[in-house]
Amino acid sequence: MAKQIEKTYNPLIEEAIYKRWLEKGYFHAEPDERRQPYTIMMPPANITGRLHVGHALTFTIQDILIRFNRMRGYNTLWMPGTDHASISTEVKIVDAMAEEGLSKRAIGREAFLERAWKWRDEYGGIIVQQLKLLGVSCDWDRERFTMDEGLSRAVYEFFIHLYNKGWIYRAEKLINWCPKCKTTISDAEVEHEDMEGSLYYFKYPIEGGGFIEFATTRPETILGDTAVAVNPDDERFMGVLGKTVIIPFIDRRIPIVADDYVDKAFGTGAVKITPAHDPNDYEVGLRHNLPIINVMNDDGTMNSAAGPYAGQTREECRGNIIADFKRQGLYIKTETISHAVGTHERCGEVIEPLIKMQWFVRMADLAKPALDVYNSGGLKIVPPRAGKIYAHWLENIRDWCISRQLWWGHRIPAYYCEACGKVFVGKEAPETCACGHKRFRQDEDVLDTWFSSALWPFSTLGWPEKTRELAHFYPSNVLVTGYDILFFWVIRMTFAGLEMMGDVPFHDVMFHGIVRDEFGRKMSKSLNNGVDPIQVIQEFGADALRLMLVTGNALDNDTRFFCGRLETSRNFLNKLWNATRFALMNLDGDEPRGEPEVMDKWIISRANQVSKEVTERVDSYDIGMAAQIAYDFVWDEYCDWYVEMVKPRLYNREDPTRPAAMRTLLDTLIVCLKLLHPFVPFITEEIFTILQDKDETLMYAAWPEYSEARFYPEEEEAVDRLKAAVKGIRAARLEMNVAPSKKINAVLVSSDEGVRGFFTDIQKSFAILAGAKETYVRADKTGIDDNAVSVVINGATVYLPLDELVDKDKETERLKREKKKLEAEVERAEKKLVNEGFMKKAPRELIAEERGKLEKYKKMMADVTEQIERLAL
RNA sequence: GGGAGUUUAGCUCAGUUGGGAGAGCGCUUGCCUUACAAGCAAGAUGUCAUAGGUUCGAGUCCUAUAAUUCCCACCA
């Protein structure tokens, strides 16, 4: 009894399928020493996050790799989780509190953390719920959170380990300060933006007479100046070197020093030195033993060291200083310049370099192994140019400031004796200090959120315990992510893994592009051009979204989001659905086997070849091309050709070749489903279930591997000939205005001996494809109606006798066009074959190939000429 | 200031070791052919950014130029 399914595919089934997968535990992986593991660590989603199309892309790619390898028989673990996202989350909570009129300070640390955990429980799972709609097959049983007890333990273990090695230290250094978030940030979090700015020229009076002119972009830092520097080779300043200048308004006396750092050509050649507020000036200050005067508060306002300007904001103070210089006649001019300004990548606030006591990770010894493992090939990065960026960053790495003046995160495991201030680093405060005191105060700061993310590849597997999971699944196979977190995360995971596990956290890193809007712009809140993937899934289904995001994209290229492309994907799914519908309509139940015909062998051979190509592409992370190859095979070869060819055999229940046709139709459909499953898991699973009529999942079905036994080159060539003939006939019919629905009585093939057998074998299919009732195959050309239109292909001429009188002029014209094309081909081949250089240096196979082509086209040209002559009679 | 990418049909993009320029969308023409009109068939469309070079042969390799995007960087 033939089964029936809807005429149009409806993706509404996705939800139920995902639920079934979950219930069956198909996503779960257990360590199994007898099996080869395949592991991906999912980049933990921020608990502040909602799913956006960028997530949809990265998780689709990972799911494709996971599903592919699961089908290939690997013991596949995809580890999911969420990240506490220290600063992002804290900012959100603070904002939410502000709406209630509350502040961090008002409610205190404990109450704040209570709120934060509540926030996490409430919003932390949103993205996880949304991910499920996308169809991701990660092991939810193992879901982790960066502030779980176990993961927190790993953080402290790592911190203490580095501290004991002397690689974590506390020091007063110049750091990046965000006056808005009121915390330090790392170098990686500073974004440098070129901005139009003003360069102000002023002069300081020199003690004993005269002035020295200088230029600055930041007049407010004049209050923290402790020197003026000039280049030691600059003759203009020889006379004033060593003299003292007076900073007006605050009457500070500072020296004029010589330092190589100063560029003679820039500005006036003299630079004001503010060690507390500029990295370069800080270095100069160290060299000349200059005092460091901090003139700013943590919120960016001027402090008491700013004298009369205390309490003003940076911007107010700047205006007032300029006005005061003018008033005293010490202002010279203002120039407009473009210069780089550092901003906080999270809030956009202009960064203030400040001197502060902070915790740092010494990077030199950690960076070296991470660089070595890359240079020696132990870590593969695709695309290769990303590897160069990785190496460059590590070669120029600076120490990592890890302390943050925040509350949400892992609190620094350092304790200070309340009596003598001595520092102890450990999981807990010691009993007694060396000074005999017993009371300690824990460091107030928390760690940079990436400090815990760095451990993700092994902390999630139970480290520092020696778990079976760790032994089996570490290191992971590949990390899939965007370029934006190369420095934040990828590099830090690498050195953390090498240091604590003695091995890379992943063998490969794959970077992909981003999803842009239809105009090629980045999606952003300010442009309001974001696409909500949940809405897309509701309208088109997750499969259509997934397929659209990856199909036909080069591996590291950005992709554009188009509604049109989404429709193309949906249409493809519908095509697949209808191919299934077609198969089901012809299915009888138990299908006997039979000896495959030429066309069966052709599609089997093609499916075999396509399996190989898809496998190779996915293996080399060329996901876009893999999807494209599978897509093209299903639509162009399976649906458009094979299904059409096989129809006469299926329609005739008496046809002895029917079982083989049915068998091949089904088998190939299943190969299609398998090849497509990693990309579009829902529809393929649904169809597989319908076809199998039993509760078996496609997720664990064996991946189609290439086999030499299913390679049929002769059948492939034969079907290529058939396709050429059919295409020629269709074109001729359209030109002669013979409607496709109009069946002509017969097509007649007169062919060379070599291919005659083939046309005899496929007579029925050929007739159907040509829109004729019958096909006759002959050696000679007897019985050709004067009224026949002819189509010449390689090795045969096909005649279409038409009922109506053929317009001989029109037909002659058509044939002449054909002849012209062939002439061009002949000419091209001949030109190559008389070229001495080509004959001497081209590979022998190529020459033989060209000779073959020449012969073929010459023969076809003769055949066409014969047809033209026939009409002329 | 340094580095990387991109430039191919009207639009969006493929093009794996150099060996006859491709897809999707759009467009034109003909079809509701018993899987699918979310479909079928047949078409049209390209100085492969520019200028040189290597080679028998260049979209593909080399050099320069232009446009564009991105990353890195402490010139006040």
Side-chain angles (χ1 to χ4, degrees), chain A residues 182-470:
Chain A
K182 295 191 185 59
T183 177
T184 52
I185 58 172
S186 68
D187 293 336
E189 288 163 275
V190 180
E191 244 169 30
H192 295 275
E193 241 183 296
D194 268 343
M195 288 186 185
E196 278 283 279
S198 298
L199 181 64
Y200 304 95
Y201 286 74
F202 303 118
K203 52 187 174 183
Y204 279 154
I206 300 174
E207 214 169 38
F211 296 95
I212 187 164
E213 297 182 356
F214 64 95
T216 179
T217 52
R218 304 200 54 199
E220 67 277 16
T221 62
I222 278 169
L223 303 166
D225 280 4
T226 53
V228 172
V230 298
N231 189 286
D233 301 329
D234 196 338
E235 288 172 8
R236 290 174 294 176
F237 298 104
M238 286 302 182
V240 297
L241 205 57
K243 289 196 176 176
T244 300
V245 302
I246 300 157
I247 305 179
F249 331 125
I250 50 172
D251 265 344
R252 184 182 302 139
R253 282 159 167 59
I254 58 173
I256 298 173
V257 301
D259 197 286
D260 284 331
Y261 151 69
V262 181
D263 178 357
K264 285 192 280 187
F266 192 92
T268 65
V271 188
K272 63 188 248 358
I273 300 297
T274 323
H277 296 284
D278 183 276
N280 295 304
D281 293 9
Y282 179 71
E283 296 297 323
V284 174
L286 290 181
R287 285 196 286 273
H288 297 274
N289 265 321
L290 300 174
I292 297 170
I293 302 173
N294 182 355
V295 295
M296 253 175 252
N297 293 311
D298 287 353
D299 61 1
T301 60
M302 309 309 289
N303 66 19
S304 56
Y309 305 93
Q312 299 176 3
T313 66
R314 289 182 284 184
E315 294 76 17
E316 287 165 1
C317 178
R318 177 178 300 183
N320 290 332
I321 292 261
I322 295 166
D324 288 346
F325 265 106
K326 282 183 177 166
R327 203 169 300 132
Q328 298 205 8
L330 297 170
Y331 167 84
I332 301 163
K333 61 175 176 177
T334 304
E335 277 176 3
T336 302
I337 58 158
S338 163
H339 66 138
V341 176
T343 58
H344 187 188
E345 49 114 31
R346 203 156 289 281
C347 71
E349 183 76 5
V350 173
I351 290 304
E352 193 58 54
L354 288 179
I355 308 280
K356 277 186 178 287
M357 180 67 94
Q358 297 294 322
W359 290 93
F360 295 87
V361 177
R362 182 165 292 134
M363 287 309 305
D365 294 320
L366 286 165
K368 195 175 177 302
L371 189 58
D372 289 346
V373 76
Y374 168 74
N375 286 331
S376 65
L379 179 70
K380 200 180 106 200
I381 299 178
V382 291
R385 64 191 166 87
K388 286 193 230 163
I389 299 172
Y390 170 95
H392 183 257
W393 171 272
L394 282 173
E395 282 158 5
N396 297 285
I397 201 157
R398 287 183 295 178
D399 287 356
W400 176 18
C401 177
I402 50 170
S403 44
R404 298 287 180 275
Q405 288 66 57
L406 301 166
W407 287 348
W408 178 237
H410 299 97
R411 196 160 168 182
I412 291 176
Y415 302 86
Y416 306 94
C417 170
E418 287 190 353
C420 69
K422 191 169 163 37
V423 186
F424 295 89
V425 166
K427 282 171 198 158
E428 283 165 14
E431 290 276 307
T432 326
C433 178
C435 73
H437 206 268
K438 286 180 189 296
R439 290 179 60 137
F440 297 87
R441 166 180 66 78
Q442 187 174 1
D443 198 296
E444 294 292 326
D445 291 352
V446 300
L447 289 162
D448 181 1
T449 198
W450 299 101
F451 192 87
S452 55
S453 318
L455 314 180
W456 187 255
F458 47 95
S459 64
T460 51
L461 293 171
W463 187 86
E465 300 294 323
K466 285 190 172 154
T467 61
R468 285 179 64 213
E469 278 81 357
L470 209 49

Side-chain angles (χ1 to χ4, degrees), chain A residues 494-705:
Chain A
T494 310
F495 66 67
L498 287 168
E499 174 65 19
M500 302 317 299
M501 296 294 298
D503 199 352
V504 286
F506 24 72
H507 296 298
D508 298 348
V509 182
M510 176 205 173
F511 289 105
H512 57 254
I514 60 168
V515 184
R516 295 173 175 276
D517 76 359
E518 59 176 313
F519 305 109
R521 300 174 305 183
K522 244 181 182 165
M523 290 188 181
S524 71
K525 274 180 195 148
S526 53
L527 285 171
N528 196 28
N529 59 346
V531 172
D532 181 5
I534 302 302
Q535 260 182 3
V536 173
I537 289 170
Q538 276 163 1
E539 193 180 344
F540 292 91
D543 283 339
L545 174 63
R546 292 166 60 118
L547 192 62
M548 176 248 150
L549 285 173
V550 300
T551 306
N553 243 81
L555 67 163
D556 59 327
N557 227 3
D558 291 349
T559 181
R560 290 195 196 195
F561 193 97
F562 278 111
C563 254
R565 290 186 57 202
L566 211 46
E567 282 167 15
T568 303
S569 295
R570 179 201 54 186
N571 294 353
F572 173 76
L573 299 178
N574 196 48
K575 188 79 183 171
L576 180 67
W577 183 256
N578 272 287
T580 307
R581 190 158 173 264
F582 173 79
L584 289 172
M585 287 170 82
N586 292 286
L587 204 63
D588 285 326
D590 271 346
E591 304 298 328
R593 294 195 173 266
E595 190 57 30
E597 298 284 293
V598 183
M599 60 187 84
D600 303 330
K601 284 186 168 177
W602 165 73
I603 198 71
I604 290 167
S605 189
R606 286 296 304 142
N608 188 36
Q609 184 61 32
V610 166
S611 301
K612 183 183 178 186
E613 286 168 18
V614 171
T615 304
E616 285 170 357
R617 296 292 183 163
V618 179
D619 257 340
S620 56
Y621 304 116
D622 195 356
I623 307 284
M625 192 49 77
Q628 189 70 57
I629 290 168
Y631 176 108
D632 288 343
F633 174 72
V634 171
W635 200 315
D636 299 343
E637 301 195 85
Y638 182 73
C639 291
D640 285 349
W641 284 103
Y642 184 70
V643 167
E644 294 305 321
M645 277 179 215
V646 94
K647 275 177 178 173
R649 293 163 62 197
L650 294 176
Y651 289 163
N652 178 9
R653 307 232 151 226
E654 310 305 317
D655 191 325
T657 71
R658 189 173 188 277
M662 200 60 233
R663 191 70 252 161
T664 309
L665 187 78
L666 270 178
D667 287 350
T668 310
L669 180 57
I670 286 176
V671 171
C672 293
L673 294 176
K674 289 177 174 177
L675 292 176
L676 288 170
H677 182 257
F679 308 96
V680 286
F682 290 113
I683 188 174
T684 48
E685 175 81 326
E686 175 71 5
I687 294 174
F688 188 73
T689 310
I690 293 169
L691 289 176
Q692 302 287 303
D693 210 9
K694 51 187 167 184
D695 193 15
E696 209 171 273
T697 183
L698 186 56
M699 280 181 60
Y700 284 91
W703 181 257
E705 301 285 353

Side-chain angles (χ1 to χ4, degrees), chain A residues 722-740:
Chain A
L722 168 71
K723 284 162 76 172
V726 169
K727 275 170 168 286
I729 291 167
R730 284 169 177 166
R733 286 178 59 125
L734 192 70
E735 190 149 357
M736 294 296 139
N737 294 318
V738 182

Side-chain angles (χ1 to χ4, degrees), chain A residues 131-146:
Chain A
L131 270 177
K132 291 179 177 175
L133 297 177
L134 192 64
V136 297
S137 63
C138 53
D139 189 351
W140 293 114
D141 298 345
R142 296 186 180 278
E143 188 184 343
R144 294 287 185 275
F145 176 55
T146 46

Side-chain angles (χ1 to χ4, degrees), chain A residues 668-848:
Chain A
T668 310
L669 180 57
I670 286 176
V671 171
C672 293
L673 294 176
K674 289 177 174 177
L675 292 176
L676 288 170
H677 182 257
F679 308 96
V680 286
F682 290 113
I683 188 174
T684 48
E685 175 81 326
E686 175 71 5
I687 294 174
F688 188 73
T689 310
I690 293 169
L691 289 176
Q692 302 287 303
D693 210 9
K694 51 187 167 184
D695 193 15
E696 209 171 273
T697 183
L698 186 56
M699 280 181 60
Y700 284 91
W703 181 257
E705 301 285 353
Y706 177 81
S707 155
E708 202 62 43
R710 287 195 300 276
F711 176 49
Y712 301 114
E714 281 172 30
E715 283 78 0
E716 287 199 26
E717 205 192 315
V719 170
D720 284 345
R721 213 181 294 273
L722 168 71
K723 284 162 76 172
V726 169
K727 275 170 168 286
I729 291 167
R730 284 169 177 166
R733 286 178 59 125
L734 192 70
E735 190 149 357
M736 294 296 139
N737 294 318
V738 182
S741 52
K742 181 175 161 47
K743 282 238 191 301
I744 57 175
N745 282 326
V747 287
L748 200 141
V749 184
S750 95
S751 63
D752 300 350
E753 205 175 346
V755 294
R756 203 173 306 140
F758 163 67
F759 277 103
T760 311
D761 285 348
I762 51 115
Q763 277 188 38
K764 289 227 171 62
S765 298
F766 186 48
I768 284 249
L769 291 167
K773 287 174 190 156
E774 307 250 19
T775 304
Y776 300 102
V777 184
R778 303 230 171 113
D780 56 33
K781 292 162 189 169
T782 52
I784 304 297
D785 194 325
D786 255 9
N787 239 358
V789 169
S790 55
V791 173
V792 171
I793 61 159
N794 182 21
T797 303
V798 182
Y799 300 90
L800 290 76
L802 301 179
D803 290 342
E804 299 83 7
L805 217 58
V806 168
D807 182 338
K808 283 199 179 184
D809 291 344
K810 201 172 169 188
E811 172 67 356
T812 305
E813 198 188 307
R814 191 181 67 80
L815 287 166
K816 279 185 174 163
R817 279 206 309 271
E818 285 300 310
K819 189 178 170 183
K820 217 172 165 188
K821 274 189 213 163
L822 290 166
E823 270 170 357
E825 294 293 351
V826 169
E827 197 186 335
R828 195 193 57 79
E830 271 177 344
K831 215 170 140 189
K832 271 201 163 177
L833 290 167
V834 298
N835 184 330
E836 262 180 60
F838 179 79
M839 295 305 285
K840 221 186 283 177
K841 294 186 180 170
R844 212 170 283 169
E845 309 85 67
L846 197 69
I847 294 173

